[in-house]
Amino acid sequence: MNHPSAAESDDVYKYNDDVRTDILAMIPAQGAIIGSVGCGAGATEGELVKSGRVVHGVDISEHAIRIAATRLTSARVVKNDDLRPFEPNSLDGLILADVIEHMPAAWIALARFAEAVRPGGWVVISVPNMRYVEPMVRFLVQGDWPEDRIGIFDSTHLQVMSRRRLQRWCEQAGLHVERWFTRYDPRGPRRRFFFRALDVLTLGLFHTWFVFQVQCLCYKPARSTELDK
């Protein structure tokens, strides 16, 4: 089916309409019913639908949702302050791909979103790493924090994200971090190789300085009655 690109109009929707292979690599094999908050045009989530999963997406952009509706099981527009876009315990898994950093009191938002996941279900989270060497140099050395269109310096970011901060939020939301993922700078192979090499040469001691994003897979603990079976 032909459809307009989600990035065709800067004043309507500014984010790229690309499949995020890094997000797909984080998603467990189990879980038939999946939700995605901030799904955009649904390019990534659409790959899950192709594999036979049921995926429900929500986003604040009407333009993006019109495209997502052609790719996902369902897609609808929500208000930016809607912290319960899905019914409690209705999902096997939830995708939060670079969305919570745009929210005020995002730690509360994460806890509310997690309520939609059934006990034993999973949550995949990706946020920009503000401890990455590039923003640190820009801020600490140059004394500046730009207002860019997209990326780490996205002007709509409301939260300063780090691995430790995200881990605390997950714990407060009742989520157990099962695994952390490493994503080096995706803006070209030379950048990826350079920061991966630095990470290896420094024996991982400065790992959080060299990764472009903070990404993790969390699980919602099963109820005690389920654990006793």
Side-chain angles (χ1 to χ4, degrees):
M1 178 179 294
N2 294 325
H3 49 70
S5 168
E8 70 176 2
S9 177
D10 289 349
D11 59 347
V12 174
Y13 192 76
K14 65 181 180 179
Y15 298 107
N16 295 327
D17 187 22
D18 299 325
V19 175
R20 291 279 303 273
T21 56
D22 60 306
I23 298 299
L24 293 176
M26 299 167 63
I27 295 175
Q30 71 271 24
I33 303 176
I34 301 170
S36 179
V37 178
C39 67
T44 301
E45 293 84 350
E47 296 300 304
L48 298 174
V49 174
K50 292 177 184 177
S51 70
R53 305 215 205 182
V54 173
V55 183
H56 304 291
V58 297
D59 201 283
I60 63 173
S61 168
E62 294 184 7
H63 176 77
I65 285 297
R66 283 197 299 271
I67 301 170
T70 69
R71 297 168 168 170
L72 309 185
T73 309
S74 74
R76 60 188 177 87
V77 177
V78 293
K79 295 181 179 179
N80 57 9
D81 60 351
D82 186 353
L83 302 185
R84 289 187 172 91
F86 304 108
E87 292 296 320
N89 300 315
S90 64
L91 304 174
D92 299 316
L94 178 64
I95 300 171
L96 301 173
D98 298 282
V99 62
I100 61 174
E101 68 272 13
H102 297 271
M103 298 181 172
W107 51 95
I108 297 176
L110 176 57
R112 296 293 178 269
F113 292 151
E115 293 173 0
V117 179
R118 299 186 181 103
W122 51 263
V123 181
V124 161
I125 306 172
S126 175
V127 295
N129 178 25
M130 271 62 167
R131 289 195 75 199
Y132 182 50
V133 65
E134 180 184 349
M136 287 296 95
V137 169
R138 294 290 292 271
F139 185 67
L140 296 178
V141 178
Q142 299 177 0
D144 190 22
W145 193 276
E147 294 78 38
D148 288 349
R149 181 176 175 272
I150 58 175
I152 290 180
F153 296 110
D154 187 324
S155 61
T156 64
H157 287 168
L158 299 180
Q159 303 295 336
V160 177
M161 299 307 305
S162 68
R163 174 168 167 166
R164 181 173 295 181
R165 193 180 195 203
L166 181 58
Q167 180 162 5
R168 185 175 71 250
W169 290 3
C170 290
E171 292 171 354
Q172 292 172 349
L175 299 172
H176 169 72
V177 178
E178 177 76 11
R179 179 183 173 188
W180 295 98
F181 291 79
T182 296
R183 191 189 193 204
Y184 296 106
D185 198 321
R187 297 169 295 178
R190 289 185 178 181
R191 283 175 174 265
R192 285 194 297 274
F193 176 81
F194 177 71
F195 288 108
R196 183 185 293 113
L198 284 178
D199 199 8
V200 171
L201 291 173
T202 56
L203 305 178
L205 295 175
F206 303 98
H207 177 71
T208 58
W209 291 80
F210 300 138
V211 293
F212 190 75
Q213 289 183 292
V214 179
Q215 298 180 323
C216 64
L217 166 65
C218 305
Y219 279 92
K220 188 174 183 178
R223 295 191 182 98
S224 58
T225 54
E226 296 178 343
L227 292 174
D228 294 337
K229 290 182 181 180

